[in-house]
């Protein structure tokens, strides 16, 4: 998924009028690390002129390009990296520089002799999800920064870092809600 960020901005903030849908890029930092980067998707202003802004993560930039029909038959050692590099080159040729990606960390999960895929007229994100994430179990596609540039990573879950933090209600889990919607209840099944 592309990820989301929602925040509220005060009307007296210096950047209040500089936020534009699908144009403004929003970055969220924790200490000196960028933990979210994306574009403004929606905003809503309330009675007191406070603006609530909803952003989608930078992985959504891959929705702005189309992969034309093309057959891939790759036999090199770095099959996934070769494929991803070509897909991203096609994406980068269709978007402006702020939406371009390089290749990041790759888990080479394809052990067959030949990597064979046929892309069709779909957006780049759908193509990558169908050809990589859906094809290989326990894999993830995500965007990060490497040396100040946006990159796409494709990793196997066993290659991802582990977090050993214990989740405890009242300590680091502040609330828990359970929701059961009426439209999900069946009174009779025929």
């Amino acid at each position: 998924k592309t990820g989301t960020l929602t925040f509220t901005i005060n009307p007296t903030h210096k950047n209040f009028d500089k936020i534009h849908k699908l144009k403004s890029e929003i970055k969220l930092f924790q200490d000196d690390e960028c933990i979210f980067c994306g574009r403004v998707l929606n905003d809503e202003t309330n009675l007191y002129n406070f603006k609530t802004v909803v952003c989608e993560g930078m992985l959504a930039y891959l929705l702005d390009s189309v992969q034309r029909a093309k057959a891939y038959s790759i036999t090199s050692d770095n099959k996934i990296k070769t494929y991803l590099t070509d897909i991203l080159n096609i994406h980068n040729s269709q978007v402006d520089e702020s939406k371009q990606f390089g290749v990041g960390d790759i888990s080479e999960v394809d052990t067959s002799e030949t990597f064979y895929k046929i892309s069709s007229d779909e957006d780049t994100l759908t193509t990558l999800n169908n050809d990589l994430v859906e094809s290989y179990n326990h894999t993830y596609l995500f965007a990060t920064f490497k040396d100040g540039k946006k990159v796409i990573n494709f990793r196997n879950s066993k290659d991802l870092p582990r977090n050993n933090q214990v989740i405890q209600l009242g300590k680091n889990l502040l609330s828990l809600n359970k929701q059961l919607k009426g439209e999900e209840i069946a009174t009779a099944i025929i």
Side-chain angles (χ1 to χ4, degrees), residues 128-159:
L128 291 175
N129 276 326
N130 290 343
D131 290 353
L132 295 180
V133 178
E134 297 295 325
S135 295
Y136 303 102
N137 292 330
H138 312 293
T139 58
Y140 299 90
L141 185 73
F142 57 98
T144 57
F145 286 93
K146 187 173 188 178
D147 301 325
K149 298 197 184 264
K150 295 176 181 105
V151 295
I152 298 295
N153 304 283
F154 178 70
R155 302 295 300 270
N156 190 317
S157 61
K158 67 179 173 62
D159 296 334

Short mmCIF file of all heavy atoms in Angstrom, two decimals, residues 128-159:
data_model
loop_
_atom_site.label_atom_id
_atom_site.label_comp_id
_atom_site.label_asym_id
_atom_site.label_seq_id
_atom_site.Cartn_x
_atom_site.Cartn_y
_atom_site.Cartn_z
N LEU A 128 4.03 -3.77 -10.71
CA LEU A 128 4.99 -4.30 -9.73
C LEU A 128 4.32 -5.17 -8.68
O LEU A 128 4.87 -6.20 -8.29
CB LEU A 128 5.76 -3.15 -9.07
CG LEU A 128 6.73 -2.41 -9.98
CD1 LEU A 128 7.34 -1.22 -9.26
CD2 LEU A 128 7.80 -3.34 -10.51
N ASN A 129 3.14 -4.78 -8.24
CA ASN A 129 2.42 -5.61 -7.27
C ASN A 129 2.05 -6.96 -7.87
O ASN A 129 2.22 -8.00 -7.24
CB ASN A 129 1.17 -4.89 -6.75
CG ASN A 129 1.48 -3.95 -5.62
OD1 ASN A 129 2.36 -4.21 -4.81
ND2 ASN A 129 0.77 -2.85 -5.57
N ASN A 130 1.55 -6.96 -9.10
CA ASN A 130 1.16 -8.21 -9.75
C ASN A 130 2.36 -9.10 -10.07
O ASN A 130 2.33 -10.31 -9.86
CB ASN A 130 0.37 -7.94 -11.04
CG ASN A 130 -1.00 -7.37 -10.77
OD1 ASN A 130 -1.52 -7.44 -9.67
ND2 ASN A 130 -1.59 -6.77 -11.78
N ASP A 131 3.42 -8.50 -10.62
CA ASP A 131 4.56 -9.28 -11.10
C ASP A 131 5.54 -9.69 -10.00
O ASP A 131 6.25 -10.68 -10.16
CB ASP A 131 5.31 -8.52 -12.19
CG ASP A 131 4.51 -8.41 -13.48
OD1 ASP A 131 3.44 -9.03 -13.57
OD2 ASP A 131 4.97 -7.71 -14.39
N LEU A 132 5.60 -8.92 -8.92
CA LEU A 132 6.58 -9.24 -7.87
C LEU A 132 5.89 -9.66 -6.57
O LEU A 132 6.04 -10.79 -6.12
CB LEU A 132 7.51 -8.06 -7.63
CG LEU A 132 8.42 -7.68 -8.80
CD1 LEU A 132 9.30 -6.48 -8.42
CD2 LEU A 132 9.28 -8.85 -9.23
N VAL A 133 5.15 -8.75 -5.96
CA VAL A 133 4.58 -9.02 -4.63
C VAL A 133 3.61 -10.19 -4.66
O VAL A 133 3.66 -11.07 -3.79
CB VAL A 133 3.90 -7.75 -4.07
CG1 VAL A 133 3.28 -8.03 -2.71
CG2 VAL A 133 4.90 -6.62 -3.97
N GLU A 134 2.74 -10.25 -5.66
CA GLU A 134 1.77 -11.34 -5.74
C GLU A 134 2.41 -12.66 -6.20
O GLU A 134 1.89 -13.73 -5.93
CB GLU A 134 0.62 -10.97 -6.70
CG GLU A 134 -0.19 -9.78 -6.25
CD GLU A 134 -0.97 -10.02 -4.96
OE1 GLU A 134 -1.43 -11.15 -4.75
OE2 GLU A 134 -1.09 -9.08 -4.17
N SER A 135 3.53 -12.57 -6.89
CA SER A 135 4.18 -13.77 -7.43
C SER A 135 5.08 -14.48 -6.43
O SER A 135 5.34 -15.67 -6.55
CB SER A 135 5.02 -13.41 -8.66
OG SER A 135 4.19 -12.95 -9.70
N TYR A 136 5.60 -13.73 -5.46
CA TYR A 136 6.55 -14.31 -4.51
C TYR A 136 6.01 -14.11 -3.09
O TYR A 136 5.75 -12.99 -2.66
CB TYR A 136 7.93 -13.66 -4.65
CG TYR A 136 8.47 -13.79 -6.05
CD1 TYR A 136 8.43 -12.72 -6.93
CD2 TYR A 136 9.00 -15.00 -6.48
CE1 TYR A 136 8.92 -12.86 -8.23
CE2 TYR A 136 9.49 -15.15 -7.77
CZ TYR A 136 9.44 -14.07 -8.64
OH TYR A 136 9.91 -14.20 -9.92
N ASN A 137 5.87 -15.19 -2.35
CA ASN A 137 5.34 -15.14 -0.99
C ASN A 137 6.27 -14.36 -0.07
O ASN A 137 7.49 -14.41 -0.19
CB ASN A 137 5.16 -16.55 -0.43
CG ASN A 137 4.06 -17.31 -1.13
OD1 ASN A 137 3.11 -16.71 -1.62
ND2 ASN A 137 4.20 -18.62 -1.21
N HIS A 138 5.66 -13.66 0.88
CA HIS A 138 6.39 -12.98 1.97
C HIS A 138 7.35 -11.92 1.44
O HIS A 138 8.46 -11.77 1.95
CB HIS A 138 7.13 -13.98 2.86
CG HIS A 138 6.28 -15.12 3.30
ND1 HIS A 138 5.22 -14.98 4.15
CD2 HIS A 138 6.31 -16.44 2.96
CE1 HIS A 138 4.65 -16.15 4.34
NE2 HIS A 138 5.29 -17.05 3.63
N THR A 139 6.95 -11.20 0.41
CA THR A 139 7.78 -10.12 -0.12
C THR A 139 7.05 -8.79 0.00
O THR A 139 5.83 -8.74 0.06
CB THR A 139 8.14 -10.37 -1.60
OG1 THR A 139 6.95 -10.50 -2.36
CG2 THR A 139 9.00 -11.60 -1.76
N TYR A 140 7.84 -7.71 0.03
CA TYR A 140 7.30 -6.37 0.21
C TYR A 140 7.96 -5.40 -0.75
O TYR A 140 9.15 -5.48 -1.01
CB TYR A 140 7.54 -5.89 1.65
CG TYR A 140 6.86 -6.78 2.66
CD1 TYR A 140 7.54 -7.86 3.21
CD2 TYR A 140 5.56 -6.55 3.03
CE1 TYR A 140 6.91 -8.70 4.12
CE2 TYR A 140 4.92 -7.38 3.94
CZ TYR A 140 5.61 -8.45 4.48
OH TYR A 140 4.98 -9.27 5.36
N LEU A 141 7.16 -4.48 -1.26
CA LEU A 141 7.62 -3.41 -2.13
C LEU A 141 7.41 -2.12 -1.35
O LEU A 141 6.31 -1.84 -0.89
CB LEU A 141 6.78 -3.41 -3.41
CG LEU A 141 7.15 -2.45 -4.51
CD1 LEU A 141 8.43 -2.94 -5.19
CD2 LEU A 141 6.03 -2.37 -5.54
N PHE A 142 8.47 -1.34 -1.15
CA PHE A 142 8.33 -0.10 -0.40
C PHE A 142 9.35 0.92 -0.87
O PHE A 142 10.38 0.58 -1.44
CB PHE A 142 8.43 -0.34 1.11
CG PHE A 142 9.71 -0.99 1.57
CD1 PHE A 142 10.75 -0.23 2.07
CD2 PHE A 142 9.87 -2.37 1.49
CE1 PHE A 142 11.92 -0.83 2.49
CE2 PHE A 142 11.04 -2.98 1.91
CZ PHE A 142 12.08 -2.20 2.41
N ALA A 143 9.02 2.19 -0.64
CA ALA A 143 9.86 3.29 -1.07
C ALA A 143 10.57 3.90 0.13
O ALA A 143 9.98 4.05 1.20
CB ALA A 143 9.03 4.35 -1.78
N THR A 144 11.85 4.23 -0.04
CA THR A 144 12.63 4.90 0.99
C THR A 144 13.57 5.89 0.31
O THR A 144 13.52 6.08 -0.90
CB THR A 144 13.47 3.90 1.81
OG1 THR A 144 14.33 3.16 0.92
CG2 THR A 144 12.61 2.94 2.60
N PHE A 145 14.45 6.47 1.11
CA PHE A 145 15.50 7.34 0.58
C PHE A 145 16.84 6.65 0.75
O PHE A 145 17.10 6.00 1.76
CB PHE A 145 15.54 8.67 1.35
CG PHE A 145 14.41 9.59 1.00
CD1 PHE A 145 13.25 9.58 1.75
CD2 PHE A 145 14.50 10.45 -0.08
CE1 PHE A 145 12.19 10.41 1.44
CE2 PHE A 145 13.45 11.29 -0.41
CZ PHE A 145 12.30 11.28 0.36
N LYS A 146 17.71 6.79 -0.25
CA LYS A 146 19.07 6.28 -0.18
C LYS A 146 19.97 7.34 -0.78
O LYS A 146 19.78 7.73 -1.93
CB LYS A 146 19.19 4.96 -0.95
CG LYS A 146 20.52 4.26 -0.79
CD LYS A 146 20.48 2.90 -1.45
CE LYS A 146 21.72 2.10 -1.13
NZ LYS A 146 21.65 0.77 -1.73
N ASP A 147 20.90 7.83 0.02
CA ASP A 147 21.79 8.92 -0.40
C ASP A 147 21.00 10.12 -0.91
O ASP A 147 21.36 10.76 -1.91
CB ASP A 147 22.77 8.44 -1.47
CG ASP A 147 23.65 7.29 -1.00
OD1 ASP A 147 24.00 7.29 0.21
OD2 ASP A 147 23.97 6.40 -1.80
N GLY A 148 19.87 10.42 -0.25
CA GLY A 148 19.07 11.58 -0.59
C GLY A 148 18.14 11.42 -1.79
O GLY A 148 17.45 12.35 -2.17
N LYS A 149 18.12 10.23 -2.39
CA LYS A 149 17.26 9.99 -3.56
C LYS A 149 16.20 8.96 -3.23
O LYS A 149 16.42 8.06 -2.43
CB LYS A 149 18.11 9.51 -4.73
CG LYS A 149 19.15 10.54 -5.18
CD LYS A 149 19.67 10.23 -6.56
CE LYS A 149 20.75 11.19 -6.93
NZ LYS A 149 20.33 12.30 -7.69
N LYS A 150 15.05 9.08 -3.90
CA LYS A 150 13.96 8.12 -3.69
C LYS A 150 14.32 6.81 -4.37
O LYS A 150 14.78 6.80 -5.52
CB LYS A 150 12.67 8.67 -4.29
CG LYS A 150 12.15 9.91 -3.61
CD LYS A 150 10.92 10.44 -4.33
CE LYS A 150 10.45 11.69 -3.65
NZ LYS A 150 10.76 12.90 -4.40
N VAL A 151 14.10 5.70 -3.67
CA VAL A 151 14.37 4.37 -4.23
C VAL A 151 13.22 3.43 -3.90
O VAL A 151 12.51 3.61 -2.91
CB VAL A 151 15.70 3.76 -3.71
CG1 VAL A 151 16.90 4.58 -4.17
CG2 VAL A 151 15.70 3.61 -2.21
N ILE A 152 13.06 2.43 -4.77
CA ILE A 152 12.09 1.36 -4.55
C ILE A 152 12.85 0.13 -4.09
O ILE A 152 13.84 -0.27 -4.70
CB ILE A 152 11.30 1.04 -5.84
CG1 ILE A 152 10.50 2.26 -6.30
CG2 ILE A 152 10.39 -0.16 -5.63
CD1 ILE A 152 9.42 2.70 -5.36
N ASN A 153 12.40 -0.44 -3.00
CA ASN A 153 13.01 -1.65 -2.43
C ASN A 153 12.05 -2.82 -2.61
O ASN A 153 10.83 -2.66 -2.49
CB ASN A 153 13.26 -1.46 -0.94
CG ASN A 153 14.10 -0.24 -0.66
OD1 ASN A 153 15.30 -0.25 -0.85
ND2 ASN A 153 13.47 0.84 -0.23
N PHE A 154 12.60 -3.98 -2.87
CA PHE A 154 11.81 -5.22 -2.93
C PHE A 154 12.52 -6.21 -2.04
O PHE A 154 13.63 -6.65 -2.33
CB PHE A 154 11.73 -5.74 -4.38
CG PHE A 154 10.97 -7.03 -4.49
CD1 PHE A 154 9.60 -7.06 -4.30
CD2 PHE A 154 11.63 -8.20 -4.78
CE1 PHE A 154 8.90 -8.26 -4.39
CE2 PHE A 154 10.94 -9.41 -4.90
CZ PHE A 154 9.57 -9.42 -4.69
N ARG A 155 11.88 -6.54 -0.92
CA ARG A 155 12.55 -7.36 0.08
C ARG A 155 11.71 -8.55 0.49
O ARG A 155 10.49 -8.47 0.57
CB ARG A 155 12.86 -6.53 1.33
CG ARG A 155 13.71 -5.29 1.13
CD ARG A 155 15.12 -5.58 0.66
NE ARG A 155 15.88 -6.39 1.57
CZ ARG A 155 16.63 -5.94 2.56
NH1 ARG A 155 16.71 -4.66 2.80
NH2 ARG A 155 17.29 -6.78 3.32
N ASN A 156 12.39 -9.61 0.80
CA ASN A 156 11.78 -10.79 1.39
C ASN A 156 11.62 -10.49 2.88
O ASN A 156 12.47 -9.85 3.49
CB ASN A 156 12.70 -11.99 1.17
CG ASN A 156 12.06 -13.29 1.53
OD1 ASN A 156 11.40 -13.41 2.56
ND2 ASN A 156 12.25 -14.29 0.69
N SER A 157 10.54 -10.97 3.49
CA SER A 157 10.29 -10.66 4.90
C SER A 157 11.42 -11.11 5.82
O SER A 157 11.71 -10.47 6.81
CB SER A 157 8.97 -11.27 5.36
OG SER A 157 9.00 -12.66 5.24
N LYS A 158 12.12 -12.21 5.47
CA LYS A 158 13.21 -12.67 6.33
C LYS A 158 14.43 -11.75 6.26
O LYS A 158 15.28 -11.77 7.13
CB LYS A 158 13.60 -14.11 5.99
CG LYS A 158 14.23 -14.32 4.64
CD LYS A 158 14.59 -15.79 4.42
CE LYS A 158 15.07 -16.09 3.04
NZ LYS A 158 16.26 -15.43 2.62
N ASP A 159 14.49 -10.87 5.23
CA ASP A 159 15.61 -9.94 5.09
C ASP A 159 15.34 -8.59 5.74
O ASP A 159 16.21 -7.72 5.75
CB ASP A 159 15.91 -9.71 3.60
CG ASP A 159 16.38 -10.98 2.90
OD1 ASP A 159 16.94 -11.86 3.58
OD2 ASP A 159 16.18 -11.09 1.68
#
